[in-house]
Amino acid sequence: MALESLKTQLSRHVEDDSTARKIGERANKLTTACIFTDEVIRATPEEVMNSCFPSHLHTELYCIFAGISAVFKRHDLEHWLCFGSAIGALRHGSIIPWDDDIDMAMWWSDLDKLVELEEELREAGVGLSLWWHVNFQVWTITMVRAYLLKENIELKFGGKTPRYCIDIFFMEKKDGMVRYTYNQYPRASHDQHKFYPLQPIKLGPVSTLIPSDAADVIASEYGARWDKEAFLQVVDHTTSTYREGPRLVFSDENLLKMSAKYDEEIFEEFQLRLNKLEEEKKNVVERNPTIEY
């Protein structure tokens, strides 16, 4: 379905708290079953290294994120890292090496602005697709996925063409709390003071933002040992399949400090393309002061 349809779907947002709570409880049970399990075995360094994704994947993710960040910053659209990507930024200074996506969040109230920026995002090489979920016979938008429009960009990613993506989650403020839309993840509801002011941080080569008390936010979602223990990927986002069996946990200090590898030359080429586009936008505004971007 075309992204423009988001505007007509905005009015279908579920406001009923009891319905949202039921949706959240069901989603939280799924999350608990897949991630927060007591069945644990220790992983060897070899198992961890074998679970790391190739550099072309992380190169592609960084390019997508750089494109989104450039457009969002141009329009002062507030966004920040969440979930595993917040862990990656704090613990690894990068995407978690054995992760295959980037998680970011923005305000639900800014969804209409995101719709209006579709064309600018495409100019930056980023495409969007909706993630729909049917709850009690009502179609709801739970997140948007961003991917690289490779047909418009002459870049090579290891000769492969899978569309890895960035998950854009939506959050809202209510009763002094910051929570995910529809209260999908109850354990990921936080006091507003833990979010502001958002703090600058690097995710690999991309400058971005993170909640002010990110360590505490992460601890409430993943446990107090998130910076001392790690578990391997439990889901392949390209196929939506889960790893079978118990989760693999390790605490090797060197592995916990390891950064995701990426192709610096390809990323720099993409960044130069973004910089050129930004300069062109500025020149247009200077020549036509009445135009707003």
Side-chain angles (χ1 to χ4, degrees):
M1 189 174 292
L3 189 63
E4 286 80 357
S5 65
L6 276 173
K7 289 184 177 179
T8 60
Q9 291 293 332
L10 291 176
S11 60
R12 300 173 69 177
H13 174 45
V14 177
E15 295 292 348
D16 179 55
D17 258 359
S18 62
T19 301
R21 194 175 301 111
K22 290 177 181 177
I23 296 170
E25 288 172 355
R26 187 167 60 188
N28 203 43
K29 286 179 181 177
L30 175 62
T31 302
T32 302
C34 296
I35 299 177
F36 300 97
T37 173
D38 292 330
E39 192 175 10
V40 174
I41 64 173
R42 294 288 162 179
T44 65
E46 290 74 21
E47 287 175 308
V48 176
M49 293 303 295
N50 290 336
S51 294
C52 293
F53 289 91
S55 62
H56 71 79
L57 183 156
H58 294 130
T59 306
E60 185 166 338
L61 289 175
Y62 283 140
C63 287
I64 303 169
F65 194 44
I68 293 174
S69 296
V71 175
F72 277 27
K73 289 175 183 176
R74 186 186 305 151
H75 294 275
D76 296 319
L77 201 58
E78 201 166 51
H79 61 288
W80 58 92
L81 297 175
C82 62
F83 292 140
S85 295
I87 292 178
L90 287 180
R91 194 173 68 196
H92 301 268
S94 71
I95 300 169
I96 297 175
W98 45 93
D99 201 358
D100 65 345
D101 75 342
I102 291 177
D103 301 314
M104 61 175 285
M106 61 182 293
W107 297 118
W108 172 257
S109 57
D110 286 335
L111 180 56
D112 56 340
K113 295 180 183 178
L114 178 60
V115 173
E116 294 170 359
L117 293 177
E118 180 192 9
E119 187 56 40
E120 284 191 50
L121 286 165
R122 292 185 69 84
E123 290 177 354
V126 177
L128 300 178
S129 63
L130 304 185
W131 187 263
W132 295 85
H133 190 73
V134 62
N135 296 306
F136 305 99
Q137 299 182 335
V138 177
W139 280 100
T140 56
I141 303 162
T142 54
M143 84 181 167
V144 170
R145 280 189 161 163
Y147 57 91
L148 198 66
L149 292 171
K150 293 185 200 170
E151 59 268 24
N152 297 332
I153 301 170
E154 295 181 2
L155 294 177
K156 302 295 182 181
F157 291 89
K160 299 183 180 295
T161 57
R163 281 185 169 173
Y164 304 112
C165 62
I166 290 179
D167 289 341
I168 305 175
F169 295 92
F170 296 102
M171 301 192 78
E172 57 190 359
K173 305 170 190 174
K174 190 164 187 177
D175 301 325
M177 301 292 288
V178 174
R179 69 179 191 179
Y180 287 87
T181 310
Y182 309 118
N183 202 24
Q184 295 176 80
Y185 310 105
R187 74 169 67 212
S189 296
H190 309 285
D191 291 335
Q192 285 191 35
H193 73 268
K194 293 182 180 179
F195 265 72
Y196 284 105
L198 293 171
Q199 299 295 317
I201 198 168
K202 296 274 284 189
L203 186 71
V206 185
S207 296
T208 185
L209 296 168
I210 201 168
S212 59
D213 197 354
D216 189 75
V217 168
I218 293 171
S220 67
E221 296 174 1
Y222 292 90
R225 295 184 60 78
W226 67 270
D227 59 338
K228 299 179 179 63
E229 285 187 338
F231 57 87
L232 297 190
Q233 184 78 1
V234 296
V235 60
D236 181 345
H237 291 89
T238 59
T239 60
S240 296
T241 55
Y242 288 88
R243 178 196 295 275
E244 295 183 359
R247 62 178 176 146
L248 302 178
V249 178
F250 63 93
S251 55
D252 184 283
E253 186 174 340
N254 292 325
L255 290 174
L256 286 173
K257 292 181 178 180
M258 183 172 63
S259 296
K261 296 180 180 179
Y262 69 100
D263 190 312
E264 295 184 20
E265 184 176 349
I266 288 179
F267 178 80
E268 289 174 4
E269 180 183 344
F270 187 84
Q271 187 63 60
L272 286 173
R273 181 181 180 277
L274 291 177
N275 294 344
K276 182 179 179 181
L277 180 63
E278 186 68 23
E279 193 62 33
E280 291 173 353
K281 295 276 184 190
K282 289 180 180 178
N283 290 338
V284 169
V285 173
E286 289 175 358
R287 291 196 301 269
N288 303 276
T290 58
I291 294 179
E292 294 183 0
Y293 284 102

